[in-house]
Amino acid sequence: MTARRLDKGGRIDRSHSLKFSWDGRKIRGHAGDTLASALLANNEQILGRSFKYHRPRGIMSAGVEESGAIVTVGEGARRDANVKATTQELFDGLVATGQNAWPNVRHDAGAVSNLFSRFLVAGFYYKTFMGLPPFEWGEGTGWWMRYEKIIRRAAGMGTASREPDPDNYEHAHAFCDVLVVGAGPAGLNAALTAARAGLDVVLVEQDFEAGGDYLNQASDGSRLSELLSDLETAGVRLMTRTTAFGLYDHGTAGLLERVTNHLANPSQHMPRQRFWTLRAKQTILATGALERHVVFGNNDRPGVMTAAAARTYLNRFGVLPGEKIVISTNNDSAYIVAVDLAGSGAAVHLLDARSDIHADLAATLKGSDVHLTSGAAALNVRGNKGVSGLETALSSGMGWRQGGIEDCDLVLVSGGWSPVVNLASHRGAKPVWDGNNCCFLPGQTSEPVHMAGAAAGIWQTTACEVSGKAAGAAAANALGKSVATISMSGSAGWAHPISALYEVTVPGKKLKSFVDPQHDVTADDVRLAHREGMVSVEHLKRYTTLGMATDQGKMGNVIGMALMADALGKDISEVGTTTFRPPYTPVSLGALTGRNSGEHFRALRRTPMDRWNRDHEATMTDAGLWHRPWYFARPGETIKEAYIRETTTVRNSVGLCDVTSLGKIAVQGPDATEFLNRIYTNPFAKLAIGKARYGIMLRDDGMVMDDGTTWRLSETNYFMTTTTAHAAKVMVWLEELLHLRWPDLKVHVTSVSEQWAGCAVAGPKSRDVLAACVEDADLVSNDSLPFMGVVEARLKNGVPCRIARISFSGEMASEVYVPSDYAPAMMDLLWKAAEVLDGCLYGMEALGALRIEKGHVTGVELDGRVTIEDAGLGKMASNKKDYIGNVLRQRPDMMREDRARLVGIFPKDRSQTFNAGTILCKSDEVSGHGEGWITGVTYSPTFGHWIGIGFINGGHNAWQDKSVTVADPVRRENVDVEIVSPHMYDPDGGRHLG
Amino acid sequence: MIRIPCPYCGERDHSEFTYGGDGSITYPALDAPMADWLEAVFERENVRGLQLETWHHVMGCRMWLLVERDTMTHEIHSVRAAHTGLAAVLEEKS
Ligand SMILES: [Zn+2]
């Protein structure tokens, strides 16, 4: 192949030269080039090495179906593997390298595997390395795992960068009346017709230039410019460099816009790519068609490409891809290619597989120097790293016989056209085989999706234009506009029938013919798969990996099916169809992620006293979405020293803790009492105004959903608190019950978690702190505010508050809530009072220590598998009323005494420690799932050693005097423990009474 | 992505909603026999075709909705407020 740039012609800007690097060498192209066209203009032939056999590969197409020119673009963290050179827009400074080759694609040591190719046929790896189940399952798989690493290194594509992606990506959303996919002759006319009917139209085009097949034609481009200017006038939103990669339900389309992939120095604020979710009322698919190869010997050599690709390189990019060209076709579309190439000075020999050429068709070659041979086709390419000649085949009865040898440097192939039915297929419209057109046509769909142009099997440009207008009019009329309908129903077929041709062979000749060049699947592989019992296309795909490469079968699927049909002695329509799934072309993970990465991976919730906490030396930690104080270290203190001090201070004096993250729900209305009585296991019917009650709610199936306190503020107004972890779930649950089950109850629930900031004041001196902070100290006396009492008061700084005397720590304690904006003011006041009493601020770690000592459960214990008895709260289950979950919690299995029950855990040797998340086993049977598990551990200042909380079968009574071991094989040695009552600290509960 | 026409908010992406469950279930009374509860909670149909289901417009108006959806095609045949009283009010208004 001797390709060269012509002096004139094409849509490139010859005055604008671009420098780029290919495999370390600096070469030049022009603005308007793709990487492929620029490499071709420089006569670069070998651009890649194949997947399995490391065969040299060059440019095979001019679009997304490319299977040869697959390269790596960019360096360092921006290295992008498996880029199709045919779709990569050239820019100044672009760095591209060959892949799957060492030392480079032109001299590849891995090519030796080509010599052993008969050992590397379909299924080879599986047969050789996998075990023979069921007899050798484990062993065989083990060997496979070992070999796989080596094989994967030899076979493969490019290597992704291991560095973090330095670029930004965006998610964007849009709506429109009509989405048109594809800006070729059909799509442009469809968009224009719909827009002129007054509709909001989005037209997306994967190329960097709109025009589709107009760009490939040898014309001055005036028709295209006119259409584009009309589109602008009509207000069509044209998005180039944008791929509609998937169609989803209810008119949703996924679009990938490449914003800066083509820019040499993109500005910092620009996203590299934008991931659009577009909702359209009507969708028109004018996605065109892809030209197919024909399978023949060495049809994967550099210098073999589709006929239409050569026309694109010639007319769009001003590159003549060869001097002596043989074109092998089975249809009319290659004739114009032959004429255009001959007109640019190439010697062109056109082989038409059809024996009878209609005089009208032959006449299209008149005036050109194209030499036409009918009843002929390409048989075998000669040359190792390029094309040095072509053995031809001549029609012989139903088959072929060996012909002569053509001297040539470029072989062009047209095996027919495959409409791009992928997006319609995403919507469940099964492609239907059409024998007359030798292709799959889009299937029927009841959704508002219209097909137009070559995507619908319409081959001539003028017919495509009409088809686009017809689709535009149909979409407009479906949206209530009144546009004259244009009749254009499906494919009119070829002017002269195409001949079905998928493979060229002659008897007795051994050929290496590729069906799926990207995955190195040969025609013999397909036949082998058939011989080994694969009878369906789905088998074929999985056994040979046909169609599973990055082009997802754009190049080889139809041919593979045709060969399978031939082997089975069936028609292609009987073999099956292909289901295409999104994405049409690969979508980068960065685009899918968008801005949801790093610290923006999920939402961050800060409490209104977040700044206050941090100003007071809080070290923060994550608790669900929340940032909460973990501990408040004094200078020089470790975390352990800090939380032990904090825990001890709460037990002896007083501590303050931000509890704002607890869920808070206002339950209001005349039936609020009845509602609460139905959702909590314990009675709420007689809770007095000014009192709080600890409650447990179950799910329908009887498992514990959540716990918390609910305060009665008035006859009809309650303030419910939930755990931090389950706040959202409980809110949804209450709404569901009120809307779906008990619409007769007059209750309204409002989430007020964001509206109230809360602080726990805990410890024997907590009342002193409250008394110092409220305007009327009498309101917080033991009489006014007894255990489980609630008061609404005013702080000394005028801030209104609600206080309930409840205790999570086991000490005398209260929770004080103020409107969120007053949180720092409340903290200033409380802290001033607590500090003089030698109080402290405490965080999650001390909170955990206090509650574990006391055996109080949290969301960690209430994990959805726990019954009320399991949690040690069985006495909270009323037997005097009906409530949610009461029936199913009494299922026999849930009442079993030997279920895992809440327990406390002490190390036998008190100096030892153990971890949360570990398994509790019988000491003489440390294996399997054990007898229980540990949910929380802490150093207990009260006991002076480590303690834990968890669950074990039968509860602590069953394990008295029995030997239990904490199994922690990964992190540390196993530890022998004692199982004790979960109520380790102050079991009689006297301390919270003060 | 399916789109659900909320009677309060208009047509919205399903990502604004959470799926509830089978909307055809009448939950037993709180004191009903265990067999009734077992059936309501655990015995579910796996419908191919039109199914009545509950959805919560959790990122929108927070209304619970009854949606008739075809499980094969995702076609949505009807959407109404699950709360009978609210559904009636809406109907009166329209
Ligand atoms: Zn809504």
Short mmCIF file of all heavy atoms in Angstrom, two decimals, chain B residues 6 8-9 57 60-62, ligand 1:
data_model
loop_
_atom_site.label_atom_id
_atom_site.label_comp_id
_atom_site.label_asym_id
_atom_site.label_seq_id
_atom_site.Cartn_x
_atom_site.Cartn_y
_atom_site.Cartn_z
N CYS B 6 -46.35 11.76 38.15
CA CYS B 6 -46.88 11.95 39.50
C CYS B 6 -48.09 12.88 39.40
O CYS B 6 -48.01 13.92 38.77
CB CYS B 6 -45.81 12.57 40.40
SG CYS B 6 -46.45 13.05 42.02
N TYR B 8 -49.20 14.88 41.40
CA TYR B 8 -48.95 16.17 42.04
C TYR B 8 -47.88 16.98 41.30
O TYR B 8 -47.97 18.19 41.19
CB TYR B 8 -48.48 15.96 43.49
CG TYR B 8 -49.50 15.28 44.35
CD1 TYR B 8 -49.46 13.89 44.50
CD2 TYR B 8 -50.51 15.99 44.99
CE1 TYR B 8 -50.40 13.25 45.28
CE2 TYR B 8 -51.44 15.35 45.77
CZ TYR B 8 -51.39 13.97 45.92
OH TYR B 8 -52.32 13.34 46.68
N CYS B 9 -46.84 16.29 40.82
CA CYS B 9 -45.64 16.98 40.34
C CYS B 9 -45.48 16.93 38.83
O CYS B 9 -44.64 17.63 38.28
CB CYS B 9 -44.39 16.36 40.97
SG CYS B 9 -44.49 16.21 42.74
N HIS B 57 -42.93 8.97 46.01
CA HIS B 57 -42.21 10.08 45.35
C HIS B 57 -41.30 10.74 46.39
O HIS B 57 -41.51 11.87 46.82
CB HIS B 57 -43.19 11.09 44.74
CG HIS B 57 -42.52 11.98 43.73
ND1 HIS B 57 -43.16 12.98 43.07
CD2 HIS B 57 -41.24 11.99 43.28
CE1 HIS B 57 -42.29 13.58 42.25
NE2 HIS B 57 -41.12 13.00 42.37
N GLY B 60 -39.60 13.96 45.76
CA GLY B 60 -40.50 14.98 45.25
C GLY B 60 -41.51 15.36 46.31
O GLY B 60 -41.13 15.83 47.38
N CYS B 61 -42.77 15.08 46.06
CA CYS B 61 -43.84 15.51 46.98
C CYS B 61 -44.01 14.55 48.14
O CYS B 61 -44.79 14.80 49.04
CB CYS B 61 -45.15 15.62 46.21
SG CYS B 61 -45.64 14.05 45.44
N ARG B 62 -43.30 13.42 48.13
CA ARG B 62 -43.35 12.39 49.18
C ARG B 62 -44.71 11.73 49.29
O ARG B 62 -45.05 11.16 50.33
CB ARG B 62 -42.91 12.95 50.53
CG ARG B 62 -41.44 13.33 50.57
CD ARG B 62 -40.94 13.51 51.98
NE ARG B 62 -40.77 12.25 52.67
CZ ARG B 62 -39.64 11.56 52.73
NH1 ARG B 62 -38.57 12.00 52.12
NH2 ARG B 62 -39.58 10.41 53.39
ZN ZN C 1 -44.87 14.03 43.30
#
